[in-house]
Amino acid sequence: MRVQADTTVFALLDLTRPGLERVAELHAAGDDKAAAEALLDYYRRRTGVVCPDADPAGITITPEEQRWADEAMEHRFFVHKGYQPSYFYGDDIDWRYWPVKDNELRWQLHRHYWFIPLAKCYYTTGDAKYIDAWMDQYTDWVKKNPLDGVERLKAAGASEAEIAAEKENIRFAWRPMEAGRRLQDLLTEFALTIHSPRFTPRFLNLFLRTYRQHADHILHNYSKQGNHLLFEAQRMLFAGIYFPEFREAAEWRRSGIEILNREIGVQVYPDGMQFELDFGYHIAAIDIFLKALGMARANGYEGEFPASYIE
């Protein structure tokens, strides 16, 4: 008898971890509907994992964030401070809309700056319209921006023009910098919404699958150098710490730590300045190195850092 490979979300997780016993039992029995419900319950009850950037305590909304969230309800997305008022992306969201031919405008659309404000508004008000907007828009983004979109079109016999347009879209939607930003912000969005009755087992399935896809994509497509590489490494470390349930979590942490430890010697001059010689990047680099170590210490992973980094 041929054993069929497990292609469910549960195959991505280490179900031998403490707290996941019930999930493992139900999955092994073939009751994945109940297993998904148990997994959601696990994440709602989970303790011992903290992220300063995703701490629900003391959440407040700035007037700017409130505006971004309210605009997002109408599909007017804040993408770039240089292009205001925010553009309307359609009732049926067009993630390829390019109102001004500025690459940054299209790249930064895929950073979803308005998602955390939506989550914050839901957390502070309890108004379901905010979490519904976040879940609907993220689900729509996942559907319309598949990482394997080119392969799908080729298999379907699409035209060369359609395939070229899909390649261009992936270049913007899945650049490691944008994927890394989503990887980071999804932690806060998750922390602020996981206890909502609107957050369903089905959405958790989509969330975990795409989260792992983001991390795996970055792992194999890091930027070559500079502040982008630092951001991506830090975000991979955060992913491996905040979601230790993933089978590859230890590899994500190791990858992030190795890059940060190496790059602190490459990107920081003896006088302490970051080698791109831009004050903004310099401040960002300091923040990256400090937050990475802080996240590790807060969750008991400091021992995975080499002594050279800590010193």
Side-chain angles (χ1 to χ4, degrees):
M1 179 179 178
R2 185 176 180 180
V3 178
Q4 190 171 14
D6 182 1
T7 59
T8 68
V9 67
F10 307 105
L12 307 178
L13 306 175
D14 177 7
L15 297 182
T16 66
R17 287 183 60 84
L20 289 172
E21 295 86 357
R22 182 60 176 161
V23 178
E25 177 185 349
L26 291 167
H27 175 57
D31 191 350
D32 282 352
K33 182 176 184 297
E37 293 172 352
L39 184 61
L40 178 59
D41 183 65
Y42 162 82
Y43 277 112
R44 286 175 171 164
R45 295 173 180 270
R46 187 181 70 164
T47 59
V49 178
V50 297
C51 178
D53 288 346
D55 183 3
I59 289 294
T60 59
I61 304 291
T62 67
E64 188 176 55
E65 289 176 323
Q66 184 69 58
R67 177 171 60 84
W68 295 354
D70 290 337
E71 287 180 346
M73 302 297 297
E74 302 171 352
H75 294 181
R76 289 187 294 121
F77 301 145
F78 171 77
V79 175
H80 195 293
K81 288 187 176 181
Y83 296 101
Q84 292 297 299
S86 297
Y87 293 107
F88 174 57
Y89 282 81
D91 292 324
D92 181 12
I93 302 171
D94 181 1
W95 297 101
R96 301 187 185 192
Y97 179 47
W98 203 357
V100 178
K101 295 302 184 285
D102 179 341
N103 284 350
E104 286 297 331
L105 187 65
R106 192 161 174 188
W107 269 319
Q108 293 190 35
L109 169 68
H110 297 287
R111 298 183 189 180
H112 303 156
Y113 290 129
W114 64 95
F115 275 4
I116 285 181
L118 284 172
K120 283 184 173 183
C121 284
Y122 171 71
Y123 187 79
T124 56
T125 69
D127 192 331
K129 70 181 182 181
Y130 291 113
I131 187 174
D132 287 349
W134 170 62
M135 293 172 63
D136 289 346
Q137 290 172 22
Y138 185 60
T139 300
D140 188 74
W141 183 90
V142 170
K143 176 183 177 181
K144 294 176 180 175
N145 296 278
L147 185 56
D148 63 347
V150 170
E151 289 76 13
R152 293 186 189 186
L153 287 178
K154 287 181 177 179
S159 67
E160 290 186 7
E162 289 175 311
I163 293 171
E166 186 69 21
K167 285 182 178 178
E168 179 188 63
N169 185 62
I170 291 172
R171 180 171 73 88
F172 286 106
W174 284 95
R175 187 174 69 155
M177 183 64 172
E178 279 60 57
R181 177 63 186 246
R182 295 194 297 270
L183 197 70
Q184 169 184 289
D185 288 358
L186 283 166
L187 300 185
T188 300
E189 294 151 27
F190 183 87
L192 297 180
T193 60
I194 185 61
H195 294 285
S196 170
R198 315 289 283 195
F199 200 120
T200 64
R202 181 177 181 179
F203 185 75
L204 178 63
N205 186 311
L206 178 141
F207 183 97
L208 293 175
R209 282 177 174 273
T210 58
Y211 195 86
R212 186 265 172 190
Q213 184 181 43
H214 276 70
D216 185 68
H217 177 65
I218 296 168
L219 184 68
H220 296 98
N221 295 277
Y222 277 114
S223 296
K224 293 182 179 180
Q225 61 182 353
N227 69 90
H228 283 209
L229 178 58
L230 296 184
F231 275 118
E232 293 154 18
Q234 179 214 35
R235 290 158 179 173
M236 286 294 289
L237 172 63
F238 275 37
I241 290 176
Y242 196 80
F243 285 114
E245 298 83 10
F246 282 105
R247 292 182 181 274
E248 299 141 306
E251 182 180 6
W252 299 346
R253 295 194 302 272
R254 176 198 57 75
S255 175
I257 289 170
E258 285 185 355
I259 290 171
L260 290 171
N261 189 57
R262 181 190 74 220
E263 292 299 308
I264 201 170
V266 173
Q267 296 200 31
V268 180
Y269 287 137
D271 64 1
M273 191 68 185
Q274 198 261 357
F275 76 161
E276 290 173 274
L277 300 180
D278 176 277
F279 192 65
Y281 293 156
H282 174 70
I283 296 299
I286 292 174
D287 188 62
I288 288 168
F289 290 124
L290 291 179
K291 280 188 175 180
L293 187 56
M295 179 72 166
R297 281 177 170 162
N299 291 277
Y301 291 99
E302 184 179 2
E304 295 188 8
F305 276 82
S308 59
Y309 185 102
I310 297 173
E311 293 170 359

